[in-house]
Every structure is written in C-alpha cells, then in structure tokens.
Amino acid sequence: MKRNIVIAAVTAAALIGGGTATALATTGDDQGSARQAATTTQLSNDDARDDDGDRNDDAEKTISADVTASEAIASALKHTSGTVVSAELDDEDDGDKVVWTVDVLSGDNTWHSVNVDPANGKVLGAHTDDEDDTAQVRAALKGSSVTAEEAAKAAAGKGVVTSVDLDDDGKGKSWEAETRKSGGAEQDWKIDLASGKVTADRADAQDDDADDADDQD
C-alpha cells in the first residue's frame, strides 16, 4: 500500500514537472517569435529607410546636374546631326555616375544614342541603335514646330527637367517631360507639338493614383 502511494506521488511529480517544462517551452517559443517579429520589423524599417535614401540620392544627383536637358540636346546635335526624339538623365549602367542619353534620328533614318556629360556638356560617346518605329516617329513630328530642345526649355519653368520624350501613340501626340524639384518630388508634363504650351499630364497622375490604391489593397 505504501509502495503504491510512493509510485503515485512520483508519477504526479513527473506530470507536474512535465507540465511545467511544457509551459516553459511554450513561453520560450512565444518570446522567440516576438523577438523574430521585432527583428523582421526592424529589417523592414531599415530597408524602407535604405530605399528612401537611394531615392533621395538619385534626386540629388539629378538636380545637381550643371547641364540642362536643352543644353545636353544642343551638345548631342553638334556631335550627331538629325532630330532629337528623346533625352534622359539617368544612371550610366546602374552606376554612381549619371549621364544624359540623347536619342537622335538622322536624315538617313539611322538612330544614334549620344551620351553627354551632365557636368560640362561634353559628348562621352555615341552608338547606333535599332528601332522599329521610325515611320511612326516621322509621322508624329510631321508639321510640328516645337523641337525636343524647345520642349525642354518650356518644361524647365516647372522644375529641373530630367527627361523629354516624344509621345507618338494615339491621337494626343506631344512631347512628354518629367521634372524634379528639391526634395525629389516628380511631375510629368505634356508640351504641345505646335504651340509649346505646357500642361500637367493628367493621365499619368491618374495612373499613379491607381497604382497607389493597388499597393494599399
């Protein structure tokens, strides 16, 4: 009888001990999950700050360019004669240095991509490109009186012009320009091919709003 009581006591102690161990293990898992969640949140915040820093760096590179879009276009045309269809200030091969890349359509329908130094306006190099929309571009520009250079000058009143491009799709053909202001704020504009009038690109703004709504969902 005493032996049975001792065995029962030992079993109870084992159960209690096991229950305690299980509770401790469970508590340990919760603490580990909390620490992991906190670490993940911290990493996400760090990534967000890094992205913001990268965007700010790009913005600073852009607005610190000494050579404007219209000046880069003029420099490219001195090197390669023809019709400028686009000019963009962008990272060179995703590196730290930004360059103006100016696309010129020459009289013999050859496309040239001319790189211009944003610090001094010197041509850094050029190469030919293969494009399949030459006829479309020629048709869009037929009868127009505003060049890419003039469009860039017109848009410069809205901020630092970082790109000028011919929109030759649909009925509303025009020059498109993107500008930046101090702090990195971007805005898109349309420049009329005949009058040079600058208006906000409403369609692009609506697309941005739709993308933001999708991201929130």
Side-chain angles (χ1 to χ4, degrees):
M1 183 67 113
K2 289 180 179 179
R3 181 173 176 274
N4 291 338
I5 293 173
V6 171
I7 292 173
V10 171
T11 302
L15 289 173
I16 293 171
T20 303
T22 302
L24 289 174
T26 302
T27 302
D29 289 342
D30 289 343
Q31 291 173 345
S33 298
R35 284 194 296 269
Q36 183 176 1
T39 301
T40 302
T41 302
Q42 181 64 36
L43 289 173
S44 299
N45 291 337
D46 289 343
D47 290 341
R49 283 193 292 269
D50 288 342
D51 290 341
D52 289 341
D54 290 341
R55 283 193 291 268
N56 289 334
D57 288 343
D58 290 341
E60 289 304 318
K61 291 178 190 175
T62 299
I63 63 177
S64 63
D66 293 327
V67 176
T68 65
S70 58
E71 291 170 343
I73 291 171
S75 180
L77 287 175
K78 288 180 180 178
H79 181 274
T80 304
S81 61
T83 301
V84 170
V85 180
S86 69
E88 181 179 10
L89 185 62
D90 201 1
D91 291 347
E92 185 179 28
D93 298 327
D94 295 326
D96 292 332
K97 184 178 180 180
V98 293
V99 297
W100 281 107
T101 300
V102 183
D103 291 331
V104 182
L105 177 58
S106 63
D108 61 356
N109 290 334
T110 300
W111 287 87
H112 302 266
S113 182
V114 184
N115 288 338
V116 178
D117 193 321
N120 53 32
K122 292 182 178 180
V123 172
L124 300 173
H127 63 270
T128 58
D129 281 332
D130 293 326
E131 300 287 348
D132 57 5
D133 60 345
T134 301
Q136 187 173 342
V137 168
R138 292 288 191 199
L141 291 174
K142 186 177 181 180
S144 66
S145 56
V146 178
T147 66
E149 183 177 355
E150 292 168 340
K153 288 180 179 178
K158 305 297 184 179
V160 178
V161 178
T162 58
S163 70
V164 178
D165 190 22
L166 176 66
D167 178 11
D168 55 3
D169 294 328
K171 295 181 179 180
K173 297 176 178 58
S174 65
W175 290 108
E176 291 182 331
E178 182 180 277
T179 62
R180 280 185 186 268
K181 290 186 177 181
S182 181
E186 298 178 2
Q187 192 163 358
D188 295 296
W189 308 89
K190 285 185 175 293
I191 300 94
D192 190 274
L193 290 172
S195 66
K197 182 179 179 180
V198 181
T199 57
D201 190 345
R202 305 293 183 187
D204 190 81
Q206 291 172 357
D207 290 342
D208 289 342
D209 291 342
D211 292 340
D212 291 341
D214 291 339
D215 291 340
Q216 291 175 358
D217 292 339

